[in-house]
């Protein structure tokens, strides 16, 4: 099964989407070589543009995650954080019944292959924004888009 990549401009800069015929596999915050567009990429682009325009609050596209079991637990939990809300790394670790795993939670979020689709930007530090795969400036834009004041 072949993979396709496609990039387009957003308020966050260029975003590259990588997909196969079944699901979205990765989102990157950079310009990558475009090799084509299938229905998954077209739908992901459409929904991302609608999200940035404030027309939708949740992106619903098939995804395939190639992550560890722990990373999967973290990413599944993050998907439950609603638009316009945040959760701290510590609270997320507590939800997973691993209160001492705050750094591991952060590392799992840093490995998120589909940021924005899985809204890891909604996870913040107790007294800071924390990190974000796309950089803090992009995290601030996403939080502002969702009207989250941090």
């Amino acid at each position: 099964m072949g993979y396709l990549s496609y990039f387009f401009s957003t308020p966050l800069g260029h975003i590259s989407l990588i997909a196969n015929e079944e699901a979205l596999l990765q989102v990157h915050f950079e310009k990558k070589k475009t090799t084509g567009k299938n229905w998954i990429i077209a739908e992901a682009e459409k929904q991302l543009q609608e999200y940035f325009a404030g027309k939708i609050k949740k992106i619903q596209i098939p995804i395939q995650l190639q992550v560890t079991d722990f990373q999967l637990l973290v990413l599944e939990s993050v998907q439950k954080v609603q638009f316009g809300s945040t959760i701290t790394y510590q609270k997320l670790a507590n939800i997973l019944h691993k209160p001492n795993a705050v750094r591991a939670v952060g590392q799992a979020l840093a490995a998120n292959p589909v940021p924005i689709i899985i809204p890891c930007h909604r996870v913040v530090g107790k007294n800071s924004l924390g990190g974000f795969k796309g950089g803090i400036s992009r995290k601030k834009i996403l939080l502002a888009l969702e009207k989250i004041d941090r």
Side-chain angles (χ1 to χ4, degrees):
M1 181 180 314
Y3 299 100
L4 295 173
S5 66
Y6 178 78
F7 79 89
F8 62 102
S9 295
T10 74
L12 301 178
H14 291 300
I15 288 183
S16 294
L17 305 173
I18 299 173
N20 59 27
E21 288 298 321
E22 298 172 0
L24 185 66
L25 304 172
Q26 297 175 13
V27 174
H28 295 279
F29 295 103
E30 59 208 42
K31 192 174 179 179
K32 298 244 184 199
K33 182 180 176 188
T34 294
T35 59
K37 196 175 189 183
N38 62 13
W39 76 272
I40 292 280
I41 289 175
E43 185 61 26
E45 178 186 16
K46 174 182 167 277
Q47 288 188 39
L48 280 163
Q49 296 290 20
E50 289 173 346
Y51 168 81
F52 290 127
K55 295 178 181 176
I56 63 171
K57 295 181 178 182
K58 184 173 184 173
I59 298 165
Q60 298 181 11
I61 191 84
I63 58 175
Q64 285 180 0
L65 301 174
Q66 296 177 348
V67 297
T68 67
D69 290 344
F70 180 74
Q71 290 168 337
L72 184 59
L73 285 174
V74 171
L75 296 175
E76 286 174 342
S77 295
V78 170
Q79 289 183 73
K80 296 174 185 169
V81 180
Q82 297 296 310
F83 181 94
S85 300
T86 60
I87 189 171
T88 64
Y89 295 96
Q90 182 66 64
K91 186 166 184 179
L92 189 53
N94 292 344
I95 287 170
L96 298 170
H97 304 290
K98 297 188 181 291
N100 297 323
V102 176
R103 285 183 188 217
V105 164
Q107 290 170 341
L109 294 171
N112 179 2
V114 288
I116 307 172
I117 310 302
I118 295 180
C120 56
H121 60 276
R122 295 179 188 151
V123 183
V124 297
K126 181 179 175 183
N127 298 310
S128 71
L129 286 178
F132 183 63
K133 189 176 197 169
I136 295 300
S137 61
R138 288 186 177 111
K139 185 171 189 169
K140 287 179 181 178
I141 292 169
L142 290 167
L143 294 174
L145 176 79
E146 296 188 20
K147 303 197 180 356
I148 298 170
D149 184 28
R150 284 289 298 181

